[in-house]
Amino acid sequence: MLERLITDVAIVAVLGAGSYKLRAFDGKGALSAALLGLAVIELGGIYPFLALLAFVVLGVLATKYRYNEKRKNGVAQSNGGVRSWGNVLGNGLAVVLFLVLEKLSMMDTFWAATFASIATVNGDTLASELGKVFGRKPRLITNFKPARPGTNGAISLAGELFAFLGCLVIVLFALPLTQHKLQMFIAVIIGGFIGVNLDSLIGATLENREITDNNSTNFLASLLGGLAGAGIFYILS
């Protein structure tokens, strides 16, 4: 067990240092990501860890994609796309909470919650970053009135497609952990997609009123998306 812990620490340390060097995270963000990654791999093992790693890699690529164009249009991620500890916690804290519940209960329901939570943040990031580039005629989710690209709560057909694809990527990591593969597939995909759109709804309401910020919006959406995934899996099982 000690050897495994040393190996896991070495893995997350290397990845954390790499993420800092590649300017995916600043110093505090890289340290937070390494600690969160260690918690995930110790609590849940390799599959949720790889799912989170896929989210980080895809998120960085989507953020950097045509970044100058997004910056010119005033919709680019701030600080050159470099994220800090608040973003790490906003996107990953709910995942750790669900893994703790899975560890205590040993129920597949909380595997569904874990991966639906990751699917939420992955789908949201792809929808946001790529929707700004490919989305046409975005509309506010609350009333479907036309909105500027990058507006909190703005959605587009392209963004919704990227959200679905983001959820689809994450569900592949969940399937080896359960015998109820069809139920897990449906729960993670739908739960994550619900979470993505709840993120837009929270952004259009609470965040625009400055009740939440981007990080707390992400946390709420990932928590609710995870709960939706758990509920769907429980009903189907």
Side-chain angles (χ1 to χ4, degrees):
M1 186 172 181
L2 180 60
E3 290 181 359
R4 174 191 162 183
L5 178 60
I6 293 172
T7 301
D8 291 345
V9 169
I11 290 171
V12 299
V14 169
L15 291 174
S19 67
Y20 175 74
K21 189 171 183 179
L22 293 172
R23 292 183 54 78
F25 299 107
D26 62 15
K28 292 180 180 178
L31 177 60
S32 301
L35 292 174
L36 188 137
L38 183 60
V40 167
I41 199 170
E42 288 301 310
L43 287 167
I46 192 64
Y47 288 109
F49 179 78
L50 289 177
L52 268 183
L53 183 60
F55 156 61
V56 172
V57 171
L58 291 173
V60 170
L61 292 176
T63 299
K64 300 295 185 183
Y65 181 72
R66 289 164 68 169
Y67 184 83
N68 289 334
E69 178 184 327
K70 288 185 278 190
R71 183 176 60 184
K72 191 177 298 184
N73 293 331
V75 296
Q77 180 79 19
S78 61
N79 198 29
V82 180
R83 290 170 165 85
S84 193
W85 66 272
N87 186 267
V88 172
L89 293 182
N91 286 295
L93 185 57
V95 176
V96 174
L97 295 176
F98 288 129
L99 283 173
V100 170
L101 292 173
E102 191 282 325
K103 195 78 170 178
L104 294 173
S105 68
M106 302 295 289
M107 294 173 60
D108 283 3
T109 299
F110 292 109
W111 281 130
T114 297
F115 287 95
S117 181
I118 303 173
T120 295
V121 295
N122 193 52
D124 175 63
T125 300
L126 297 188
S128 175
E129 294 297 336
L130 299 179
K132 293 171 184 175
V133 176
F134 296 103
R136 298 290 181 267
K137 299 179 179 179
R139 295 181 178 274
L140 203 61
I141 194 170
T142 51
N143 54 25
F144 293 100
K145 291 182 179 179
R148 288 184 63 253
T151 301
N152 287 332
I155 61 173
S156 66
L157 183 59
E160 294 293 291
L161 176 60
F162 285 119
F164 179 81
L165 292 176
C167 296
L168 183 61
V169 169
I170 299 304
V171 76
L172 300 178
F173 295 98
L175 298 181
L177 293 171
T178 181
Q179 295 180 339
H180 307 287
K181 298 188 186 304
L182 179 59
Q183 294 92 324
M184 183 67 71
F185 183 89
I186 294 171
V188 173
I189 290 283
I190 297 179
F193 194 72
I194 288 172
V196 173
N197 284 281
L198 285 175
D199 188 286
S200 298
L201 184 61
I202 295 168
T205 53
L206 299 182
E207 191 172 346
N208 279 341
R209 296 173 187 171
E210 299 185 348
I211 297 173
T212 63
D213 60 10
N214 180 65
N215 296 329
S216 54
T217 294
N218 289 341
F219 170 71
L220 286 173
S222 61
L223 183 67
L224 294 172
L227 291 173
I232 293 167
F233 184 86
Y234 182 80
I235 291 170
L236 293 178
S237 300

